[in-house]
Amino acid sequence: MEATVGDKLLVHGRVVGRHDRTAEIVEVLGEHGHPPYRVRFDDDGHEAVMSPGPDAVVRHKERFEAGP
């Protein structure tokens, strides 16, 4: 997994009834774009340091800015 500042992290809900969450990557703490990442969640503004697992995907900034 590689990301840059401004990319979105989509974390899929792992339990029935838990919704997916999105967060903006505000700092890349690993080397060459690798985790861990400091993220800010879109729904509540909470910031956390994460090393995403297999339930997460990176949506690269240029891709979601381009639109459908």
Side-chain angles (χ1 to χ4, degrees):
M1 177 176 288
E2 291 183 23
T4 59
V5 172
D7 289 348
K8 293 283 187 173
L9 184 67
L10 172 61
V11 182
H12 297 289
R14 295 181 290 177
V15 178
V16 173
R18 302 273 323 246
H19 64 284
D20 294 350
R21 293 184 78 191
T22 57
E24 180 180 352
I25 297 173
V26 295
E27 184 179 5
V28 177
L29 301 169
E31 294 182 11
H32 308 292
H34 294 283
Y37 307 123
R38 180 176 310 279
V39 300
R40 181 179 307 115
F41 286 95
D42 294 339
D43 57 354
D44 63 3
H46 174 80
E47 287 194 10
V49 174
M50 295 184 65
S51 290
D55 59 337
V57 293
V58 172
R59 298 282 168 95
H60 297 285
K61 182 177 165 182
E62 58 275 353
R63 187 164 183 194
F64 67 79
E65 283 182 345

